[in-house]
């Protein structure tokens, strides 16, 4: 028996023994060797809903990155424990905003306006629990790439401005799609006083975007779109909204991971796609839809190294640990942070329910 088959067998046996006590959640960007064991696959929003629903499980193993496991831990019930197979699996985008810098920015904004009544903080789910808590404490919300437009629309009916972190591109692409002109958006650079702007510019802005980005989606460029259009005029370009505005504007469609999957699944045989998102997902779509022509938008596959840190060995280690009564890599969130973050997450789940 090969080493991989032996690991697969051990995980299957451990899962069978643990039965309903265990549920494994897997993000679409996970390696094939890992995601094959997921009881539920999804993007951040689907998995957040799923984490909130699987009451029977005592253990939730989250095959994704740290902020996702933290979100699951916040939404879990008190009898449940969330485990992350590799604690090194963080999200570089999430790490671009921290509580100290966000609070500092909020304090600077409060010098030029009444922030509690005039600015709604909205954090992308790709953020640490204490930033979600910050939003909960200041009347704000969480969003994912699936529901960003609904969340931003609601936020702007409640307050005249949104402070959106940490992904500038999701914020800009979403606001632009909602018809907000670029002149009413402002890029907040946390390294500079007032984010690099004067007081009047801050007061004029409707959407204040944190200077963060995802390196996986930053690797797609307008030249890639142009090259495919020239080479294959009938190919459809579909990209994730974490790509830059220049790429999103040139693409035929932009949407969340769930949206990209749905579009491919709904399309007739022979459809041609160049997809601008993480390569594990593109590769899986290629394998699952041989009747369509599917390629990565960029010539070099763009992998998320953090998602790739979780291996089948890590999963086996954590699942078998449970059989021996050992809880390996539990994810905990301090109770007062979890309570406030839950408020912001619940507001989002209501919007997207
Ligand atoms: S793909 Fe980008 S946003 Fe998603 S986990 Fe990786 S670095 Fe973070």
């Amino acid at each position: 028996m090969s080493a991989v088959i032996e690991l697969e067998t051990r995980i299957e046996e451990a899962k069978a023994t643990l039965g309903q006590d265990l549920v494994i959640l897997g993000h679409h960007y996970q390696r094939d060797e890992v995601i094959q064991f997921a009881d539920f696959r999804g993007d951040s929003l689907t998995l957040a809903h799923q984490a909130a629903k699987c009451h029977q499980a005592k253990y939730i193993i989250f095959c994704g990155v740290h902020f996702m496991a933290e979100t699951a831990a916040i939404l879990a019930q008190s009898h449940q424990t969330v485990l992350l197979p590799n604690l090194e699996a963080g999200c570089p985008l999430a790490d671009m905003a921290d509580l100290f810098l966000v609070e500092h920015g909020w304090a600077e904004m409060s010098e030029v306006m009444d922030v509690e009544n005039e600015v709604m903080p909205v954090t992308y789910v790709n953020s640490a629990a204490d930033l979600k808590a910050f939003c909960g404490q200041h009347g704000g919300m969480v969003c994912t790439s699936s529901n960003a437009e609904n969340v931003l629309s609601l936020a702007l009916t409640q307050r005249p401005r949104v402070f959106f972190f940490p992904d500038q591109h999701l914020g800009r692409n979403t606001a632009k799609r909602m018809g907000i002109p670029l002149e009413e958006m402002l890029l907040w650079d946390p390294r500079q006083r007032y984010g690099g702007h004067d007081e009047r510019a801050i007061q004029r802005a409707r959407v204040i975007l944190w200077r963060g980005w995802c390196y996986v989606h930053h690797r797609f460029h307008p030249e890639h779109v142009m090259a495919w259009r020239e080479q294959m005029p009938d190919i459809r370009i579909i990209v994730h909204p974490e790509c830059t505005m220049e790429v999103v504007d040139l693409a035929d469609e932009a949407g969340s991971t769930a949206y990209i999957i749905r579009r491919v699944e709904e399309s007739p045989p022979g459809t041609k796609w160049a997809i601008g998102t993480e390569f594990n997902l593109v590769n899986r779509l290629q394998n699952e839809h041989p009747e369509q022509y599917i390629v990565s938008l960029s010539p070099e596959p763009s992998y998320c190294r953090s998602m790739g840190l979780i291996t089948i060995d890590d999963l086996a280690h954590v699942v078998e640990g449970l059989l021996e009564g050992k809880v390996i890599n539990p994810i905990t969130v301090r109770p007062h942070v979890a309570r406030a973050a839950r408020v912001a997450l619940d507001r989002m789940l209501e919007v997207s329910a």
Side-chain angles (χ1 to χ4, degrees), residues 27 29 65 67-68 90-94 124 126 213-217 242 277-278 303-307:
H27 190 274
Y29 295 170
V65 290
F67 76 81
M68 297 179 181
C91 166
L93 164 61
Y124 189 21
N126 298 36
W213 66 89
C214 160
Y215 73 95
V216 177
H217 292 93
E242 286 173 19
T277 196
E278 207 273 344
Y303 284 103
C304 176
R305 285 192 297 274
S306 312
M307 288 277 184

Side-chain angles (χ1 to χ4, degrees), residues 297-316:
L297 177 59
S298 58
E300 292 296 320
S302 190
Y303 284 103
C304 176
R305 285 192 297 274
S306 312
M307 288 277 184
L309 285 174
I310 296 179
T311 63
I312 189 169
D313 300 75
D314 296 326
L315 183 58

